[in-house]
Every structure is written in C-alpha cells, then in structure tokens.
Amino acid sequence: MSAMLLLYSLVGWLGIAKGLNNGLGLTPQMGWNSWNAFHCNIDQTLIQETIQAMITTNLSSVGYVYVNMDDCWAYARTPGTNVIIPEPTTFPDGIAPLAQLAHANGLKFGLYSDAGNFTCAGRPGSLGYETIDANTYAGWGVDYLKYDNCYDDNIPPETRYPVMRDALNATGRPIFYSMCEWGVDDPWTWCVCFLCIRNAYVRFHPPWILYVLKRDETQCSDPVQTFSNANNVCSGNVPQSSHFHRAGDVGNSWRTTGDISDNWDSMLSNWDNNGPAADAGPGGWNDPDMVFLCCLEVGNGGMTTTEYISHFSLWCIGKAPLIIGCDIRDMSADTKMILMNKEAIAISQDPLGQQCTMVASQNSGNQNVYGTPLSNDGYAIVFLNRWNNSAVNIPVTWTQLGLNSDTSYSIRDLWAHEDLGVYKGSFTAEQVSPHGVMMVRLTPTS
Ligand code: GLA
C-alpha cells in the first residue's frame, strides 16, 4: 500500500474513532459505595438515608457527590424483553426514585453490575445484555456504573469491558464508567489495535483482528482473536497527546487490586500494587479500591486514627477514587475530620491530575517519599513511615523531587493545618509517627 493511501485510511479512521470520551472523571471521583459497610444488606431506606446524610454531614459540600449502590439490588430479567428487575422486597419503588432523590439533593446516583453471566453475589450479570441494561440505567437517571468481573465466561476483560462502554456511550447520557476487574489483566496496559504500525494503535481494514500492545512493549502481540464483525471488537485509539493512557480509552477508572480490607497490611498492599502513574490522568484513574474508614468510635476500627490518616493521604496524593466505604449516617468525629480535610482533598482534586510517584526511600524501603506536581507550579509530598514502633525523620531534596534546587517554596502541613516556613533545596519531615505520614504542600514563593 502506498504511503498516501495509508495516510488517507488513517485520517478516515480518526474521524470515526470510538472510545471513552464522556467528559467525566477529570479529577478522581468522590462519593460513597454500599459494599464495604453493608454487603448485600441494602434497601431503599438505607439509600434514602445515605443521600440525606451526604447533605447533613456536609460530605457533599467538600466534594463527595456519588451515592453508589453495589451488588444485590438486581433480581431477575423480565421474560421476553430481558429488562432487569430490581429486588422487589428491598426496592419496592424501583430504582428511578432513588436517582431522582439524589438529583434533587444535588448529588449523583450510581449502580453496580457485572461483565459476566452473574454478579459476584450471584445476581443477573450484564454479559450479552449490555445495550438493554445501559438503556435501562439511562432511563432511570443513573450517573455511574461500577462494572465487576465475576462469571466472565472465559472471555478476556479487554473484550468484555469495551462493550458496556459503547452501550453507555450510545445512551447519550454521561455515565461514569468504573471498571472493576481487580487488575487481573493489568487494565492500565490495555490497548487494542487492528493493524500494528510502529507503535501506533490503529484500526484498519477487515479482517478484524485483535492485537494487544502491553505497556513498555513496542510491538503488538501476535493476533489474539479474529472477528467477523467489527462491532464485536473493542476499539483502539491513537495517542493524541502525552496524556494519552490506554485504560482511559475504556473506563473512567479501573480497579488495580483485589478488595481492600479494614487493616494496615491490606491497605498498604493495595497501595503498593496500584497501577502506574504514567497511565492515569484526567478522564481515567487507577483505583486501588475504596477508602476504608471504619466510622466506628476511635479504637474500634481495623486501623488506628494515625493509620486512617495515612490511608487517606496516600489515596489523595495517588489520585485514587475517594469512594467512602462506611456507614456515613454514623461517623465518629475522627472519621469526619479525616474524610473532610479540605486541604488533603484539594491535592486529590488538583486539576493537573497527576498521580504521585515514589521519589525517595530509606531504611530498606520502610520510609517512602511520594511526590507529585500540582497546578500553578505547586507540589505535594507524603512522607510515609512503615515502621510500627519508632518515629523517624524523613528527608528529601529538591533534586529527588525533580524541582529546581534554587527555587524557594513555602511549605504547609496539611494535617496540622499550619505553615512550616520557607525552604530551599531540601526539607525534612521530623519525627513522622509509626504508621503515620506527614503530608505537605509546596508553593513557590516567587
Ligand atoms: C467484588 C468487588 C467488590 C464488590 C463485590 C460485590 O468482590 O471487587 O468491590 O463489588 O464484588 O459482590
């Protein structure tokens, strides 16, 4: 094929490029999800009360907007039409009034389903019913879909998840698409190409052949699957800018780990196994699972208050979704204090949308410094002490942070809520508590 013809084909394709472009998730999503606190014990009263609690606690005023029902709301499919029916005993009024109530309170409403034959709790899944379900959700006024990965029929997630993306897009209603395939197939590496030209991911002529290009590889794989109909294939995309990220072509966020539990080791394990910063950004985020704050009285939860502060700080600087996993009708003062720290939330919601990286480490990795640039030449740092029995100083230099050594920054402690002074070249977080953090914001002084 001549170069001209090739170019012509590419331009033609660009005009019809599909992908996730719903304008949502420009910063990590904030809200609540029913699973961690309630599992299958959900009903319409709980959701109504949670919507009210989002307002009365002021969680909504600091940015928490989504009220998301997880598994166990779906009951069966209508014979003939296959339209999904909500559980009649727990949701006798159906789903639409709950979405309306959320909207009437300035909130958004989310649902859960599964890219398989059943949900993880054995309710009807959406595999094969994507269009019917997406249309039903849109008709109910749903704003968010968490899409799980149980009972997958041995079809790879790269193939199953784009089908629901396209069905949601086709409804014309902007619906946040939260993929939950637990990182098993490294969603941050997904890309699909139909013809592999150098390192571009290009949709081309039939026969429709699926190739997968993994991160850090320069060549597409051997053909994975051949399709007779292009509509069955998850579409690729062409890198448009340095912010291009491949999972972001499919979802607004993608789980990178298994489920988080309410303890320090689980939280850190999810943190350490989160997806890479390079593949996240405005429109699509790595998701190491919910913010697990137990909301019981201090001392009764699976982590100490110090540990919960560390958890929240890491999720903020890591640009993880801030989806609360507790009963917000009954929060301890410490839980509220943590979840509603506006200065920490501002790091999460900074418009630059850059996930942190680990810039320094000491004592065999037991202390880590995580840093990330912010808009307006700002910078955020979390100093983490993994030791459980001694406080420790954790230093960092501007060179390690990738900052100009001659620039002076005023530094603010985002948990003490106090200015620490102006620093140039280096800073040391003094006596960071066992299992604790220091979280600071740097602002250039000139
Ligand atoms: C999976 C998900 C959880 C939750 C349950 C519901 O385990 O990872 O977050 O949605 O299913 O059954």
Side-chain angles (χ1 to χ4, degrees):
M1 175 182 295
S2 75
M4 263 326 275
L5 190 55
L6 180 62
L7 188 65
Y8 183 78
S9 304
L10 285 176
V11 170
W13 174 74
L14 278 171
I16 55 158
K18 283 202 293 184
L20 185 75
N21 187 17
N22 58 12
L24 301 174
L26 298 182
T27 57
Q29 68 268 39
M30 295 178 67
W32 173 89
N33 172 289
S34 58
W35 184 254
N36 282 358
F38 299 100
H39 293 93
C40 275
N41 299 318
I42 55 172
D43 59 27
Q44 63 185 37
T45 306
L46 169 70
I47 303 303
Q48 288 158 353
E49 290 178 1
T50 299
I51 289 169
Q52 298 302 343
M54 286 286 255
I55 307 299
T56 54
T57 58
N58 285 325
L59 282 169
S60 63
S61 67
V62 296
Y64 296 94
V65 67
Y66 289 105
V67 175
N68 296 341
M69 290 211 297
D70 207 278
D71 208 347
C72 300
W73 66 267
Y75 178 65
R77 292 193 179 276
T78 312
T81 63
N82 286 321
V83 170
I84 195 78
I85 304 169
E87 178 76 57
T89 50
T90 45
F91 296 93
D93 299 332
I95 303 300
L98 295 174
Q100 279 160 17
L101 183 64
H103 297 157
N105 283 280
L107 302 173
K108 294 186 181 298
F109 182 75
L111 277 185
Y112 161 101
S113 190
D114 189 291
N117 294 321
F118 302 97
T119 70
C120 296
R123 305 306 176 101
S126 291
L127 188 64
Y129 301 101
E130 291 87 351
T131 299
I132 295 172
D133 286 355
N135 289 339
T136 305
Y137 305 154
W140 286 341
V142 167
D143 306 295
Y144 186 112
L145 179 67
K146 172 177 170 179
Y147 206 42
D148 216 340
N149 196 32
C150 284
Y151 301 101
D152 62 7
D153 227 5
N154 289 321
I155 304 170
E158 294 94 316
T159 306
R160 284 176 290 119
Y161 279 79
V163 182
M164 182 55 97
R165 170 201 61 190
D166 292 342
L168 294 173
N169 274 352
T171 67
R173 182 177 179 82
I175 298 178
F176 190 106
Y177 188 29
S178 158
M179 298 194 290
C180 179
E181 64 81 85
W182 319 309
V184 289
D185 220 9
D186 298 354
W188 55 92
T189 68
W190 295 356
C191 102
V192 179
C193 58
F194 297 83
L195 183 69
C196 183
I197 301 176
R198 296 210 180 106
N199 199 10
Y201 329 120
V202 183
R203 180 164 164 172
F204 207 57
H205 293 291
W208 304 101
I209 302 174
L210 172 70
Y211 303 84
V212 177
L213 180 61
K214 297 265 182 181
R215 187 167 58 90
D216 297 332
E217 289 176 0
T218 51
Q219 295 287 317
C220 284
S221 67
D222 290 331
V224 174
Q225 216 171 333
T226 306
F227 299 83
S228 55
N229 180 343
N231 293 332
N232 296 337
V233 188
C234 83
S235 59
N237 208 338
V238 174
Q240 310 256 343
S241 73
S242 58
H243 237 97
F244 176 81
H245 44 89
R246 290 164 241 179
D249 186 42
V250 185
N252 294 112
S253 65
W254 45 92
R255 279 276 295 277
T256 54
T257 64
D259 292 2
I260 193 170
S261 307
D262 189 11
N263 66 73
W264 176 253
D265 288 343
S266 166
M267 184 277 287
L268 272 191
S269 162
N270 277 25
W271 173 252
D272 290 335
N273 290 302
N274 196 20
D279 295 304
W285 307 100
N286 287 307
D287 177 4
D289 206 4
M290 287 171 250
V291 174
F292 211 133
L293 282 155
C294 73
C295 299
L296 303 174
E297 291 311 311
V298 181
N300 285 347
M303 290 186 246
T304 64
T305 297
T306 299
E307 291 170 337
Y308 285 129
I309 288 174
S310 299
H311 175 18
F312 194 71
S313 304
L314 293 172
W315 262 233
C316 286
I317 199 169
K319 308 296 157 103
L322 298 181
I323 298 291
I324 302 169
C326 69
D327 184 351
I328 61 167
R329 300 168 306 174
D330 179 25
M331 290 189 286
S332 68
D334 274 9
T335 302
K336 275 191 215 162
M337 178 275 291
I338 297 169
L339 291 175
M340 298 176 68
N341 180 340
K342 289 185 194 168
E343 295 195 87
I345 291 171
I347 303 302
S348 157
Q349 300 296 302
D350 183 84
L352 195 60
Q354 204 158 317
Q355 179 181 323
C356 69
T357 54
M358 187 165 72
V359 297
S361 197
Q362 68 181 28
N363 290 321
S364 312
N366 274 295
Q367 287 90 42
N368 319 107
V369 183
Y370 299 98
T372 197
L374 303 172
S375 53
N376 299 321
D377 297 324
Y379 201 92
I381 311 175
V382 169
F383 300 86
L384 171 69
N385 181 9
R386 296 177 189 240
W387 280 343
N388 65 6
N389 52 9
S390 28
V392 63
N393 289 349
I394 312 177
V396 76
T397 66
W398 279 202
T399 307
Q400 288 171 315
L401 299 174
L403 301 177
N404 185 332
S405 297
D406 294 331
T407 307
S408 297
Y409 290 89
S410 66
I411 298 191
R412 183 166 173 83
D413 183 325
L414 304 186
W415 288 105
H417 302 294
E418 64 186 27
D419 295 325
L420 302 178
V422 174
Y423 292 79
K424 189 161 89 170
S426 65
F427 175 79
T428 296
E430 309 259 347
Q431 293 300 296
V432 179
S433 309
H435 286 189
V437 295
M438 176 180 252
M439 184 181 200
V440 297
R441 179 180 197 122
L442 280 61
T443 307
T445 52
S446 54

